[in-house]
Amino acid sequence: MMHFNTKMLIRSLQKAKNAQYVFRNASSGLPDLTKDRYPVNRADFATLGDKHLQFFRDLLGPQRVITDPAECEGYNVDWIKAVRGYSTCVLKPKTTEEVSKILSFCNDHTVAVCPQGGNTGLVGGSVPVFDEVVLCTSQMNTIYDINDTSGVLICQAGCVLESLDEALAEHGLMMPLDLGAKGSCHIGGNVSTNAGGLRLLRYGNLHGNVLGIEAVKPDGQIIDLLSTLKKDNTGFHLKHLFIGSEGSLGVVTKVAIHCVPKPKAVNLAFVGLPSFENVLKVLKRAKRDLGEILASCEMIDESTLEVCTGNLKLRSPIPEYPFYMLIETHGSNNAHDEEKLNGFLGDVMDSGLVLDGTVTNEPSKMKNIWDLRERITEGFILDGYVFKYDVSLPIEQFYSLVPVFRQRLSNHPDIVRITGYGHLGDGNIHFQVSCKQFSREILEKIEPFVYEYTSRLKGSISAEHGIGFRKPKYMKYSKSPESIAIMKDLKKMFDPKGILNPYKVLPP
Ligand code: FAD
Ligand code: MLT
Ligand code: ZN
């Protein structure tokens, strides 16, 4: 058993390779076309022709209208290779006005449009289902202002999350959100999915942190909601309609975000535990004993860690245990935080709740530990195909899906593993069934059972990834008919022709 002190750091991690994130084409082979894999019919949208392409080229110039099939492919396939469209046109506007002109034209000509940021979404919302034009925000990456005093950042929607964090660091600030996809995802995509991530426990979600938004409606109208005020109770807060609506109501073009001071002290513990019962007890004690410095509390089960240690060949700093927890603290005084964290770790070790662990505040070693958590999604792709579920459950039942499904799917020859990991501190588990390849038979054994189960426990069938293409018909398990009807009314009001991200989010 290791003793916790900052000098006794991670064994052998110096030898670990600094593996790069692979955000596009993480494994070879393309999924079937969505239209062939799922029962969905193309709606009556226009098929792109010369007159449409000519308009786009006149507006953006030929460089920002991509029609080369090989180049279009990356924009048609999602990150986990679960869905694939066949769009023949990707548009890369630079300004809000260009977005407005594109949407106005597409609306007038009934051309369907799929907004896309970094294409890291996990529910099939970011890629076309059929041949929708892709409107990609990658060239909308200007930072307009970072205010050191108020902490307000104003930028375009296509800024990459990690680049924003780097720019903010020069001002002693930090983005309130952090996720494994930070090197690729765009802030507009984060806002549109209301992304949660690894430090939501401490800094809250984007409904709280986004102060203002500029968006373009499907008919091209620009809506300026770009307030930078922390408090503003004048009328309805329309910005919230764009946070988490996954590009179904408009294209987000600019955002104002309330950023947080970059913590002067960051400490990270990685611990091994014998049971989920102990995980819950350690969570309770972490909240109580670490109090205001607790920034992150994540859980990984043994089988999930194996996708990192096995598939990705990452090194774990501690031997194998049934469960692991990552506990990170953020504060302003390292001596204070270390004392608090070491006291807490000593306590959970002495009481036998935790069997082993390591703690560090060295950036490279913290990164090596975080890689074991952040690269899980990438590791699963190497199993073959992964059915991913992202649910909120009452904390006592947080892990219950895993044993239920291990029983339900026992002995199925194509299954590689059934696992759970995720944002323990927020009650949001990522439940996975990975198999050698996509199997409709396995899919039908999982769905709708997984949603019925979650609904029975009064959980959410989509805690953070959204509804996208994969889940509209299951929304009813988390939302009442009345609330779905209001969402449909709003969609009709914003997008009467239904050109923006069709086949997504709302049940047909
Ligand atoms: P995309 O994937 O391009 O798009 C996502 C959705 O938003 C689509 O419906 C798209 O149409 C829409 N959209 C994109 N940009 C705009 C815009 N400007 N205006 C209107 N609509 C738009 N999610 C979490 O919540 N927490 C996590 O911890 C987390 N970790 C992840 C880790 C990895 C390795 C990966 C691959 C994904 C992870 N995700 C996580 C999924 C998450 O939803 C996305 O990573 C991110 O928020 C999406 O941003 P994006 O720019 O890639 O958007
Ligand atoms: C995570 O927390 O790692 C993400 O939400 C991504 C995933 O579930 O794969
Ligand atoms: Zn997550």
Side-chain angles (χ1 to χ4, degrees):
M1 191 182 290
M2 288 175 72
H3 295 286
F4 285 103
N5 83 49
T6 43
K7 299 235 164 64
M8 296 186 67
L9 295 170
I10 309 158
R11 299 190 281 253
S12 310
L13 277 176
Q14 290 90 332
K15 287 190 216 138
K17 282 195 196 122
N18 189 14
Q20 295 295 308
Y21 290 90
V22 184
F23 281 105
R24 281 189 199 270
N25 299 319
S27 72
S28 59
L30 291 172
D32 298 337
L33 285 170
T34 303
K35 72 175 177 65
D36 297 333
R37 185 173 280 180
Y38 293 96
V40 53
N41 294 317
R42 188 181 182 282
D44 195 16
F45 295 115
T47 300
L48 275 198
D50 289 345
K51 73 168 180 195
H52 306 106
L53 290 172
Q54 197 53 53
F55 174 85
F56 297 142
R57 288 187 183 120
D58 288 347
L59 179 69
L60 305 177
Q63 303 295 331
R64 293 190 284 130
V65 180
I66 295 164
T67 51
D68 171 49
E71 228 185 307
C72 286
E73 190 170 272
Y75 301 86
N76 272 310
V77 183
D78 71 333
W79 203 91
I80 51 166
K81 296 195 168 180
V83 283
R84 178 156 70 103
Y86 55 91
S87 178
T88 54
C89 178
V90 177
L91 304 176
K92 296 198 167 178
K94 281 187 176 166
T95 65
T96 303
E97 290 65 33
E98 286 177 352
V99 173
S100 165
K101 286 182 180 146
I102 292 168
L103 290 182
S104 165
F105 176 85
C106 289
N107 193 51
D108 288 348
H109 294 82
T110 327
V111 172
V113 178
C114 171
Q116 188 177 96
N119 193 12
T120 65
L122 297 170
V123 286
S126 54
V127 295
V129 175
F130 296 94
D131 56 348
E132 301 89 276
V133 168
V134 176
L135 190 161
C136 173
T137 53
S138 61
Q139 305 238 344
M140 302 180 72
N141 54 8
T142 304
I143 297 178
Y144 296 110
D145 192 33
I146 296 175
N147 186 313
D148 300 6
T149 312
S150 65
V152 178
L153 157 81
I154 308 174
C155 67
Q156 275 188 305
C159 292
V160 170
L161 180 60
E162 196 168 47
S163 315
L164 291 176
D165 237 344
E166 284 162 8
L168 286 163
E170 291 173 22
H171 298 257
L173 294 166
M174 183 176 84
M175 288 300 277
L177 79 159
D178 181 31
L179 29 144
K182 59 182 151 255
S184 296
C185 62
H186 297 181
I187 190 65
N190 300 145
V191 168
S192 302
T193 55
N194 187 22
L198 304 162
R199 48 189 186 225
L200 182 142
L201 174 66
R202 170 68 171 274
Y203 301 107
N205 74 21
L206 288 171
H207 282 288
N209 296 315
V210 172
L211 300 176
I213 277 179
E214 178 195 77
V216 182
K217 274 175 58 209
D219 64 1
Q221 188 185 30
I222 299 168
I223 315 177
D224 181 357
L225 305 164
L226 203 60
S227 167
T228 56
L229 302 172
K230 185 79 177 157
K231 298 186 76 175
D232 173 19
N233 278 352
T234 48
F236 299 170
H237 278 213
L238 296 180
K239 69 178 179 194
H240 292 294
L241 288 175
F242 296 98
I243 302 173
S245 55
E246 303 175 63
S248 58
L249 299 181
V251 173
V252 174
T253 44
K254 290 180 191 155
V255 292
I257 311 244
H258 190 212
C259 300
V260 297
K262 193 170 170 59
K264 287 193 203 155
V266 178
N267 287 276
L268 176 63
F270 184 66
V271 299
L273 306 95
S275 66
F276 181 67
E277 203 189 332
N278 285 20
V279 168
L280 283 185
K281 287 182 182 158
V282 172
L283 168 67
K284 193 170 163 190
R285 287 201 196 186
K287 287 204 248 181
R288 187 191 65 193
D289 297 345
L290 298 174
E292 78 291 351
I293 64 168
L294 180 62
S296 205
C297 189
E298 299 284 312
M299 188 210 80
I300 307 175
D301 72 5
E302 186 175 15
S303 182
T304 300
L305 197 77
E306 280 164 19
V307 305
C308 288
T309 54
N311 292 357
L312 299 177
K313 309 280 178 251
L314 302 183
R315 297 286 296 265
S316 168
I318 57 174
E320 286 166 21
Y321 293 98
F323 293 92
Y324 305 89
M325 288 174 76
L326 283 88
I327 298 173
E328 187 166 276
T329 60
H330 291 179
S332 57
N333 179 325
N334 202 46
H336 164 272
D337 291 5
E338 256 183 22
E339 190 186 334
K340 227 169 170 174
L341 183 57
N342 288 338
F344 159 77
L345 292 170
D347 178 39
V348 290
M349 291 277 285
D350 290 346
S351 55
L353 292 173
V354 160
L355 299 177
D356 196 358
T358 183
V359 61
T360 180
N361 55 21
E362 280 190 36
S364 65
K365 294 189 170 134
M366 290 195 286
K367 183 185 175 307
N368 286 335
I369 294 177
W370 271 116
D371 274 356
L372 292 169
R373 169 65 186 85
E374 294 184 14
R375 297 186 61 190
I376 291 169
T377 318
E378 179 192 339
F380 266 112
I381 300 177
L382 301 177
D383 274 353
Y385 185 89
V386 60
F387 292 102
K388 282 185 99 26
Y389 300 91
D390 161 40
V391 302
S392 279
L393 289 171
I395 198 69
E396 292 74 20
Q397 277 96 26
F398 182 81
Y399 194 66
S400 60
L401 275 169
V402 176
V404 164
F405 270 93
R406 281 187 182 154
Q407 176 127 41
R408 191 173 163 83
L409 295 171
S410 62
N411 302 327
H412 199 293
D414 283 344
I415 286 178
V416 179
R417 65 191 107 216
I418 298 174
T419 82
Y421 71 95
H423 313 292
L424 177 76
D426 308 315
N428 165 202
I429 186 156
H430 298 309
F431 164 67
Q432 272 69 219
V433 177
S434 70
C435 33
K436 291 174 199 151
Q437 66 251 324
F438 175 83
S439 152
R440 178 146 295 279
E441 188 201 340
I442 295 175
L443 174 63
E444 283 167 7
K445 286 216 159 100
I446 306 174
E447 300 178 17
F449 180 87
V450 64
Y451 299 122
E452 286 162 3
Y453 180 93
T454 303
S455 177
R456 268 202 304 280
L457 292 178
K458 305 216 178 316
S460 165
I461 65 137
S462 180
E464 60 172 20
H465 298 156
I467 294 291
F469 172 72
R470 309 274 301 281
K471 301 185 195 164
K473 69 177 178 180
Y474 302 117
M475 203 196 246
K476 63 180 181 195
Y477 289 103
S478 281
K479 292 284 177 282
S480 67
E482 295 76 19
S483 58
I484 293 175
I486 293 172
M487 289 185 220
K488 286 185 169 181
D489 286 349
L490 282 168
K491 170 73 177 170
K492 246 181 233 144
M493 195 179 93
F494 275 76
D495 186 13
K497 291 188 173 179
I499 60 151
L500 202 58
N501 235 0
Y503 326 102
K504 318 263 178 73
V505 188
L506 291 165

